[in-house]
Amino acid sequence: MGRDPGKSQHGRFWQVQNVKRQELVRYWVPLFGYLFFLTYLLFKSPGEEPHFFLADKIAHLGFFALLGGFWLRIFHPIQSHWSRNKCILVALSATLVYGGLTEIGQGFTSDRSSEWYDLLMDGLGGMIGGYAYFRLRQWFTLKHIME
């Protein structure tokens, strides 16, 4: 009763697994790829860096804005019942946790140092990235509707 005799339970299971696999590839693989890249940049020995005022802080701001956008790209569609502010708060928290862990890790290396201002820029970058994600998403949605 209620079962379609033409479809087995195994067929439905693989359909669900296929959707999860597509979601994994679409959302999580780019995030983890970026996290590996960012971790490499944050822990590599400092080489020839730009020598202008606050270059390091601007780099933290930009890299973590992109990371905040990646987190929101995951949390917003998956948790669509969450409000926009809750999605931003969760993405910002994830960004700050990652930023805090990298700052702690940099404190144990001989070539890098850990600074509170870097963590502040990480959080600010995460907020900017979250705001930019929703603005760009809104802009692309409106552009698509108007065409």
Side-chain angles (χ1 to χ4, degrees), residues 9 14-15 24 30 49 54-57 81 91 93 95 104 109-110 112 120 129 135 138:
Q9 289 294 96
W14 289 114
Q15 287 175 346
L24 174 76
E49 297 176 358
L54 298 177
D56 178 47
K57 305 306 177 239
H81 62 279
S93 298
T95 303
I104 289 170
T109 63
S110 60
R112 308 290 280 187
L120 178 69
R135 282 294 185 191
Q138 182 182 28

Side-chain angles (χ1 to χ4, degrees), residues 42-47 102-114:
L42 292 171
F43 283 99
K44 77 178 187 83
S45 296
T102 57
E103 289 303 317
I104 289 170
Q106 284 178 355
F108 291 108
T109 63
S110 60
D111 296 338
R112 308 290 280 187
S113 64
S114 150

